[in-house]
């Protein structure tokens, strides 16, 4: 790929500007969204998934967006922090709620998807939220297409691009075209990935000259180039931008174009995808971008960047969810070193174990643990004392107070330690309820 000449001495590798919301994934795979009975909650939003995925792969990543002053917003911030992301530039919006998305998994290619993003927090990002020093602290800035779709986020994104250009920060566009978020599909039709629209094409073309790297699917380059022919669209994009273009080709893999658009894509290098059994294609693009940027920001070759990108996309499409499904370097190393292709990552025991043990975990300090899981002797003591059995529950709540006092005493003494408990719900449900949310083991 050649030297990208990233600025040296930067605190961050990557700032991701854009969507930050909660994904609620259907747990009943194969069901219509109408029939789904339960959902699993994950961090979501294309920019947030990329911040999460690149951090998991070892980059110093940061998020630039807004969340609501609500439980979902706090969940998102905590999820990013656990992964090692910088969230200092995420504003808490007291007026708006955090965005939500409901997603079904009908089959490998069908995923009913409903965005709950009316006046949501991340779309209220404004130019005043963009801090010049923060942008200047990074090697690269990534912006996803949705944050050019309305006047407010358009101005915020342009402000970020101005600061990036001024301070030598490389600028990356993930076209990330969602017709519903541009008002081109029904409000409940988040699944549709392409609707041609000359006004959107013109709008996107106005920003293309601002970027050093542009990544998109075939359909996304069609909208960017304003054509129904991919090569024609790419030539229009090239006439407006000297950026490196990365075209995602689905199962075929991807190609990278630095200069003139070739007569045929096959005339350039096509970097093959990873062949896996697909659960669903949701999240593949964000995983692809995470993998590509993890190589690009280390100035790796095109081949290496695409190997990482295709592998990340392949692993995520074989798993439930997007952000938590993102692989670690250990998983990728194992995948690349395997003597035979791993077409069912979800059934490979080593890969599954690596996915569990190589992700960031809380580093516990020395632990002071109080065990009061239930014993029959407590019932005997209550009976001998002539007390009702509900008194056992009251006793266990006193145990919680004891753990709390130990924690306070450790802090008072300046002892670096954590506290925890071992208990069960028999006569102890109220105690367990009182113990949650404190960060105890």
């Amino acid at each position: 790929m050649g030297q990208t000449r990233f600025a040296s001495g930067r605190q961050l590798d990557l700032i991701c500007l854009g969507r930050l919301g909660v994904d609620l994934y259907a747990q009943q795979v194969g069901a219509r969204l109408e029939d789904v009975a339960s959902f699993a909650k994950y961090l979501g939003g294309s920019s947030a998934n990329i911040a999460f995925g690149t951090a998991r792969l070892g980059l110093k990543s940061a998020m630039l967006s807004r969340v609501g002053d609500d439980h979902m917003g706090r969940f998102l911030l905590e999820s990013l922090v656990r992964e090692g992301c910088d969230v200092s530039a995420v504003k808490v919006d007291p007026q708006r709620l955090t965005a939500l998305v409901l997603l079904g998994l009908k089959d490998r290619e069908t995923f009913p998807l409903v965005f709950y993003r009316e006046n949501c927090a991340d779309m209220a990002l404004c130019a005043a939220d963009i801090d010049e020093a923060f942008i200047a602290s990074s090697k690269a800035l990534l912006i996803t297409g949705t944050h050019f779709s309305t006047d407010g986020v358009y101005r915020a994104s342009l402000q970020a691009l101005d600061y990036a250009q001024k301070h030598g920060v490389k600028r990356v566009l993930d076209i990330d075209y969602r017709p519903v978020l541009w008002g081109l599909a029904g409000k409940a039709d988040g699944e549709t990935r392409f609707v041609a629209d000359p006004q959107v094409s013109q709008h996107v073309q106005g920003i293309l000259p601002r970027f050093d790297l542009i990544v998109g699917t075939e359909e996304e380059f069609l909208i960017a180039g304003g054509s129904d022919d991919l090569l024609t669209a790419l030539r229009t994009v090239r006439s407006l931008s000297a950026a490196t273009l990365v075209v995602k080709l689905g199962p075929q893999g991807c190609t990278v174009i630095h200069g003139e658009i070739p007569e045929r894509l096959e005339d350039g290098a096509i970097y093959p995808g990873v062949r896996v059994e697909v659960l669903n294609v949701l999240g593949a693009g964000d995983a692809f971008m995470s993998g590509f940027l993890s190589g690009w920001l280390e100035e790796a070759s095109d081949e290496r960047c695409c190997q990482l990108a295709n592998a990340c996309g392949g692993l995520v499409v074989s798993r439930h969810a997007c952000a938590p499904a993102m692989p670690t370097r250990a998983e990728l190393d194992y995948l690349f070193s395997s003597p035979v292709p791993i077409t069912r990552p979800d059934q490979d025991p080593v890969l599954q174990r690596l996915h569990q043990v190589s992700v960031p975990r809380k580093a516990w300090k020395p632990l002071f643990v109080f065990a009061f899981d239930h014993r029959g002797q407590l019932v005997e003591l209550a009976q001998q004392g002539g007390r009702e059995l509900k008194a056992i529950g009251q006793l266990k709540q006193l145990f919680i107070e004891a753990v709390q006092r130990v924690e306070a005493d450790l802090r008072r003494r300046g002892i670096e330690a954590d506290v925890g408990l071992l208990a069960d719900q028999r006569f102890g449900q109220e105690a367990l309820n009182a113990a949650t949310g404190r960060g105890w083991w």
Side-chain angles (χ1 to χ4, degrees):
M1 181 175 292
Q3 295 299 304
T4 54
R5 296 186 177 88
F6 294 108
S8 60
R10 298 294 167 93
Q11 180 181 350
L12 296 169
D13 292 314
L14 178 68
I15 295 171
C16 298
L17 187 160
R19 284 192 279 129
L20 174 56
V22 171
D23 282 351
L24 297 173
Y25 269 70
Q27 292 185 303
Q28 289 74 43
V29 176
R32 301 185 311 157
L33 199 51
E34 293 88 338
D35 300 325
V36 168
S38 58
F39 295 85
K41 180 181 70 174
Y42 305 117
L43 174 137
S46 54
S47 296
N49 285 334
I50 295 165
F52 185 103
T54 51
R56 181 164 284 187
L57 290 170
L59 295 187
K60 296 175 182 176
S61 303
M63 190 69 206
L64 175 52
S65 190
R66 284 193 186 191
V67 294
D69 186 13
D70 54 42
H71 313 77
M72 297 298 101
R74 290 187 287 276
F75 158 73
L76 294 174
L77 291 176
E78 291 171 10
S79 298
L80 287 169
V81 168
R82 275 197 304 271
E83 208 61 34
C85 289
D86 183 321
V87 297
S88 61
V90 179
K91 299 288 192 295
V92 176
D93 189 324
Q95 304 298 324
R96 298 169 181 85
L97 291 173
T98 302
L100 298 174
V101 185
L102 294 180
L103 308 104
L105 305 176
K106 182 68 177 67
D107 53 47
R108 294 172 185 171
E109 298 294 334
T110 309
F111 40 93
L113 190 157
V114 184
F115 288 98
Y116 287 81
R117 296 181 53 83
E118 297 290 334
N119 194 32
C120 67
D122 69 50
M123 289 301 286
L125 189 74
C126 68
D129 293 335
I130 312 300
D131 179 73
E132 181 174 356
F134 180 70
I135 298 296
S137 71
S138 184
K139 293 180 182 178
L141 167 72
L142 172 133
I143 306 179
T144 51
T146 302
H147 272 61
F148 292 99
S149 64
T150 66
D151 289 342
V153 290
Y154 179 76
R155 288 193 295 271
S157 296
L158 290 186
Q159 182 69 81
L161 287 171
D162 287 344
Y163 289 149
Q165 185 171 3
K166 178 180 176 181
H167 293 283
V169 177
K170 296 298 180 182
R171 292 151 290 160
V172 182
L173 174 65
D174 183 345
I175 301 172
D176 185 41
Y177 180 47
R178 301 281 187 156
V180 67
L181 300 181
W182 291 79
L184 299 176
K187 288 186 179 296
D189 183 15
E191 184 176 358
T192 295
R193 289 301 181 101
F194 182 75
V195 174
D197 187 89
Q199 288 184 314
V200 172
S201 294
Q202 183 178 12
H203 189 63
V204 172
Q205 287 168 15
I207 62 171
L208 293 179
R210 307 292 304 271
F211 290 93
D212 302 293
L213 175 67
I214 300 171
V215 181
T217 62
E218 296 173 73
E219 293 81 6
E220 286 168 343
F221 275 106
L222 294 180
I223 195 70
S227 174
D228 58 4
D229 175 74
L230 178 59
L231 288 169
T232 301
L234 288 170
R235 292 188 180 103
T236 299
V237 171
R238 174 56 76 227
S239 72
L240 296 166
S241 174
T244 296
L245 308 179
V246 179
V247 187
K248 295 181 283 187
L249 302 171
Q252 286 181 268
C254 63
T255 188
V256 181
I257 305 171
H258 295 287
E260 291 185 10
I261 307 303
E263 288 297 318
R264 303 179 309 148
L265 286 184
E266 293 80 6
D267 293 339
I270 302 293
Y271 300 100
V274 175
R275 300 291 178 178
V276 297
E277 189 79 17
V278 176
L279 172 63
N280 78 98
V281 297
L282 287 169
D286 299 338
F288 178 98
M289 180 65 96
S290 298
F292 191 92
L293 291 177
S294 74
W296 188 69
L297 279 155
E298 294 178 354
E299 310 207 44
S301 66
D302 287 354
E303 182 179 13
R304 176 61 172 169
C305 291
C306 294
Q307 180 195 36
L308 292 165
N310 288 325
C312 287
L315 287 175
V316 167
V317 300
S318 70
R319 295 168 173 168
H320 202 259
C322 179
M326 294 281 188
T328 63
R329 289 278 186 175
E331 292 175 76
L332 294 177
D333 290 343
Y334 172 75
L335 184 72
F336 297 147
S337 65
S338 175
V340 295
I342 301 175
T343 58
R344 289 297 303 267
D346 58 318
Q347 292 185 0
D348 186 280
V350 176
L351 200 55
Q352 290 294 85
R353 179 180 177 277
L354 286 173
H355 189 62
Q356 292 177 335
V357 303
S358 62
V359 298
R361 292 171 178 262
K362 178 174 179 176
W364 292 97
K365 301 168 188 173
L367 274 166
F368 290 74
V369 178
F370 185 15
F372 55 91
D373 48 322
H374 192 72
R375 293 290 184 269
Q377 292 93 324
L378 293 175
V379 174
E380 294 173 6
L381 286 171
Q383 291 171 339
Q384 290 170 9
R387 301 294 302 275
E388 295 182 18
L389 293 184
K390 67 180 182 181
I392 299 174
Q394 296 166 358
L395 174 65
K396 291 185 176 183
Q397 290 191 61
L398 290 175
F399 293 163
I400 297 297
E401 291 185 26
V403 176
Q404 184 178 347
R405 290 186 184 186
V406 169
E407 181 181 47
D409 189 53
L410 291 170
R411 288 177 180 169
R412 189 164 48 248
R413 297 186 186 192
I415 298 174
E416 290 290 316
D418 286 313
V419 298
L421 59 93
L422 180 64
D424 60 34
Q425 74 274 20
R426 188 174 180 195
F427 299 110
Q429 189 62 56
E430 294 299 322
L432 288 170
N433 294 346
T436 61
R438 299 172 183 256
W440 294 352
W441 179 90

